[in-house]
Amino acid sequence: MAEHGHIFAAMLQEFDLAARILKLEPGIWRILTHPKRQIIVSCPVQMDNGEIEVFTGYRVQYNITLGPAKGGIRFHPDVSLDEVTALAAWMTWKCAVAHIPFGGGKGGIVCDPTRMSKRELEALTRRYVAEIIDAIGPEKDVPAPDVNTNEQVMAWIMDTYSMHVGHTSTAVVTGKPIELGGSLGRREATGRGVMIVTREAARHLGLNITGARVAVQGFGNVGSVSAALLGEIGAKIVAVTDWKGGVYNEKGLDVATLLEYARAKKTVDEFPGGTALSNEDLWGLDVDVLIPAALENQITMDNAPAIKARIVTEGANGPTTPDAHKHLHERGVFVIPDILANSGGVTVSYFEWVQDRYGYFWEEDEVNTRLEKKMIEAFDDVLQTSLKYTVDLRTAAYIVAISRVGTVTRMRGMYA
Ligand code: GLU
């Protein structure tokens, strides 16, 4: 196994807390803390200026005990094998918590998509898919969108794979455009799931969601939809920040106008509907709900002591470091962990995969109703487990996940 860095180490720290409580046997412990398969590829691309650049891509299949590997592909300059492996592990636990028949995978390409043309992105995507072609497929490994990838990128993945196998294969990837086998409701699914668990948590804590003040870090697919849907159920979105800056309005931001603004300007910075707010100042705001919906390692011991929110809903993967999480839990902050909070996306990815394999597509209402049911079940499983073992929700979610993957690992037995 390749050397791991701090992100995978953080995942292991979280895992160990739960495995210890479960008194997990050493053999299963060892299996579940090793990635099944790590693929590293070099992707040469002819850039628009005629030069050939070589991009590094990764695909990690962390665990495929419950089914095909499942997880997104991100395009970002900071992508590393450490990060992709940790994210693939988190996908494994997330799918188990969501109770869907998938293992966990993740992919990434080290690149800065903001500096690339559409043609360059298409060439890079297709070359990456060609390089990992043997490892993916509807029964093997099913990619999806993640940071800086979207429906268009999924369409290129679907087409490249289909060209290689010689027939149209829609179920090889999820998060596709509706026209080519995507599911209604998939684009909004992660944010919808964030809204549902936040609402359930508020109900559990006796906090009125109507008028509850919400601050969101990140205004991509997850942050923007979470804000819009929480606004729809009566919460007041008072602050939003992104990579560039942010905006605050104690009376509540007009999320629909903010969405239009962000679409045009590619940032929420300098939005005229409030006062300027920095990413650092977001954490200490006097709010009820805080939603980190950007990248890993955002809530650290540098800012956790300032957090005043009652609920932290992790829209992003791995946004809170283990020590900051411990600190928040000890102060009574109700942290809804990533592997539960943002599982709405992969849950509707599962629905998309099912619809593709059936060749029969559901109405949006049916997707949303099924998602609602799955999210509430997952939230209740984790909450009940946390009450049973007197642990925080993250450890409880790991207990649920490790129990499910561990049981199947034991039943299937060892293949020597
Ligand atoms: N990238 C999303 C996640 O981190 C979605 C994965 C999927 O739908 O496969 O959960």
Side-chain angles (χ1 to χ4, degrees), residues 101-119:
F102 286 139
K106 201 79 171 200
I109 302 180
V110 187
C111 66
D112 184 353
T114 61
R115 290 163 178 274
M116 293 171 70
S117 70
K118 191 171 176 189
R119 192 206 61 80

Side-chain angles (χ1 to χ4, degrees), residues 163-400:
M163 288 297 128
H164 276 254
V165 296
H167 58 89
T168 293
S169 174
T170 52
V172 64
V173 66
T174 60
K176 299 179 292 294
I178 306 297
E179 295 82 349
L180 44 105
S183 176
L184 293 166
R186 173 62 186 87
R187 195 186 301 158
E188 299 78 20
T190 311
R192 182 171 294 278
V194 165
M195 177 275 283
I196 294 168
V197 293
T198 305
R199 186 196 66 203
E200 293 302 300
R203 184 176 299 160
H204 168 71
L205 297 170
L207 178 91
N208 193 352
I209 198 75
T210 310
R213 294 154 305 166
V214 180
V216 185
Q217 186 207 30
F219 209 61
N221 179 256
V222 181
S224 63
V225 177
S226 302
L229 293 180
L230 278 162
E232 268 180 30
I233 62 166
K236 197 160 70 176
I237 315 303
V238 295
V240 175
T241 60
D242 64 21
W243 58 278
K244 199 154 178 223
V247 58
Y248 174 76
N249 186 336
E250 65 171 346
K251 294 199 180 72
L253 294 160
D254 178 347
V255 180
T257 315
L258 181 58
L259 268 166
E260 273 170 40
Y261 178 90
R263 215 166 280 144
K265 304 260 181 178
K266 307 273 175 257
T267 175
V268 297
D269 196 35
E270 295 181 2
F271 176 62
T275 53
L277 176 74
S278 71
N279 257 302
E280 297 83 70
D281 292 339
L282 175 87
W283 309 112
L285 289 178
D286 191 12
V287 292
D288 304 295
V289 179
L290 187 56
I291 304 181
L295 293 166
E296 303 91 55
N297 292 334
Q298 299 300 302
I299 301 181
T300 67
M301 281 310 287
D302 290 340
N303 53 38
I307 288 176
K308 297 193 182 70
R310 180 82 183 85
I311 299 173
V312 171
T313 312
E314 295 184 334
N317 293 308
T320 314
T321 61
D323 51 348
H325 179 256
K326 184 163 180 282
H327 168 88
L328 291 177
H329 177 64
E330 283 167 1
R331 277 186 33 220
V333 179
F334 194 84
V335 181
I336 314 176
D338 45 8
I339 57 174
L340 166 65
N342 68 39
S343 66
V346 76
T347 297
V348 175
S349 276
Y350 167 53
F351 299 159
E352 180 172 332
W353 180 79
V354 167
Q355 292 171 79
D356 287 340
R357 285 162 66 99
Y358 257 99
Y360 179 76
F361 292 86
W362 311 342
E363 310 257 317
E364 187 163 359
D365 266 0
E366 176 160 9
V367 173
N368 289 345
T369 307
R370 285 179 187 264
L371 172 63
E372 169 98 20
K373 185 164 176 283
K374 286 292 254 174
M375 291 305 303
I376 291 176
E377 276 169 12
F379 180 83
D380 285 345
D381 286 348
V382 172
L383 181 62
Q384 292 316 318
T385 305
S386 87
L387 298 173
K388 180 174 162 196
Y389 290 92
T390 338
V391 291
D392 59 86
L393 264 78
R394 188 184 317 280
T395 306
Y398 271 85
I399 289 177
V400 170

Side-chain angles (χ1 to χ4, degrees), residues 17-35:
L17 284 175
R20 228 171 280 142
I21 290 167
L22 277 174
K23 298 194 174 51
L24 191 68
E25 60 270 49
I28 304 287
W29 196 315
R30 249 169 250 141
I31 293 172
L32 298 188
T33 49
H34 284 77

